[in-house]
């Protein structure tokens, strides 16, 4: 379903820190609201939240334009919001309502906005990675300087398709940024028990793709590395790999009993809250406080709107199964 977003994005701030903080706060308030709505029984389906990981989405997407592509995962709300997706349409989709991004049919794990280059969240681990390489090939063919970003978790790194994607992107020098969001668990499995080499950048280096590890809870550090890598891609110098070390505060999914990790580990990472990390670097405390209040209001209004929308017409159940003749996936 192609949808062109005409909804205005929040006014871009001159100050990088303010802009990054606003993006992270929007993600945090969106996901906090979604968590509550699921717990109260209002939202159907599954939710995988990225609370604690917001700096990766904000830092990487700050280096992109609306014309660039991204693909994301089952944990993709943050990436979509940071790329400019409409929060009201995302919430309508989570509620299963007709105006939602996918007509209320997909829920959280298949959000897409081709008009903004969001080529889709994907519930199949690693499946978005080759799609981003396809975006990179389209970008290279068009020659307009677009780039494509593949977000994926540490759990995707040993999937064969990630290596096929790295190889092809390197071989054809495609403008692709591979972003591994390493939250240290794949579902309930710690990374050291599913990856032989804990140095995740080594997998990229094996394909001669330049790689770097950054503190994924530091939005400024993520942005600085992503900006360099995006510039490299736009200049025709091929793909890069950004390994971001971070942590999810909530369970793998909402409702996860989390008996595979200690509460003290979660607490220690909460102490490195990416919003707080940035807040401490901002000169004026009142700015982030005002942004938080603004985001809370924005989300509350969007929830109210989404909740009041109609469900899809049952008579349309077979619609949107096939791409209509002549329709395109955006440009
Ligand atoms: C191909 C495939 N294998 C297994 C699963 C089940 N599964 C869903 S999420 C997940 C873990 C993914 O871990 P990671 O890539 O690190 O992302 P995270 O959940 O930590 O964000 C698994 C194994 C799946 N959805 N797809």
């Amino acid at each position: 379903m192609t949808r062109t977003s005409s909804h205005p994005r929040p006014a871009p701030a001159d100050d990088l820190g303010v802009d990054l903080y606003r993006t992270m706060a929007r993600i945090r308030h969106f996901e906090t609201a979604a968590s509550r709505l699921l717990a109260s029984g209002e939202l159907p389906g599954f939710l995988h939240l990225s609370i604690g990981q917001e700096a990766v989405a904000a830092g990487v997407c700050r280096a992109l334009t609306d014309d660039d592509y991204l693909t994301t995962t089952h944990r993709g709300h943050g990436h979509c919001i940071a790329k400019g997706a409409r929060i009201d349409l995302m919430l309508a989709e989570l509620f299963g309502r007709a105006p939602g991004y996918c007509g209320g049919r997909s829920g959280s794990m298949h959000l897409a906005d081709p008009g903004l280059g969001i080529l889709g969240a994907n519930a199949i681990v690693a499946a978005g990675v080759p799609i981003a390489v396809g975006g990179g090939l389209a970008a290279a063919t068009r020659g307009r300087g677009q780039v494509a970003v593949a977000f994926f978790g540490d759990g995707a790194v040993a999937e064969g398709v990630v290596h096929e994607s790295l190889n092809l992107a390197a071989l054809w020098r495609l403008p692709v940024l591979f972003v591994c969001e390493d939250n240290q668990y794949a579902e309930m499995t710690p990374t050291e028990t599913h990856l032989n080499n804990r140095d995740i950048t080594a997998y990229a280096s094996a394909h001669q793709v330049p790689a770097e590890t950054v503190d994924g809870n530091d939005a400024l550090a993520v942005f600085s590395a992503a900006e360099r890598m995006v510039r490299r891609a736009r200049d025709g110098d091929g793909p890069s790999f950004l390994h971001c070390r971070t942590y999810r505060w909530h369970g793998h999914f909402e409702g996860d009993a989390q008996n595979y990790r200690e509460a003290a580990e979660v607490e220690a990472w909460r102490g490195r809250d990416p919003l707080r990390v940035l807040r401490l670097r901002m000169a004026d405390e009142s700015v982030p406080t005002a942004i938080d209040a603004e985001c809370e209001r924005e989300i509350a209004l969007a929830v109210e709107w989404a909740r009041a929308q109609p469900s899809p017409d049952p008579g349309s159940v077979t619609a949107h199964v096939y791409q209509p003749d002549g329709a395109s996936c955006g440009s």
Side-chain angles (χ1 to χ4, degrees), residues 136-150:
L137 177 59
T141 306
R142 284 196 201 101
R144 293 206 308 255
Q146 295 164 284
V147 303
V149 176

Side-chain angles (χ1 to χ4, degrees), residues 48 53 73-75 123-125 152-156 159 181 183 185-187 194 248 252:
H48 304 81
Q53 306 183 188
T73 68
H74 54 286
R75 203 177 301 287
I124 301 170
V125 171
F152 52 96
D154 47 289
E159 293 281 353
E181 201 161 359
N183 62 15
Y185 289 89
E187 286 186 321
H194 70 83
R248 62 168 156 75
H252 169 65

Side-chain angles (χ1 to χ4, degrees), residues 32-43 47 254-255:
T32 302
S35 173
R36 287 204 192 105
L37 289 164
L38 188 88
S40 69
E42 271 204 85
L43 289 189
L47 275 188
E254 289 298 279

Side-chain angles (χ1 to χ4, degrees), residues 220-237:
L220 290 166
V222 174
F223 169 70
S224 156
E227 194 195 29
R228 254 183 289 116
M229 291 176 169
V230 165
R231 205 179 315 126
R232 195 173 171 275
R234 293 203 203 286
D235 289 347
D237 293 330

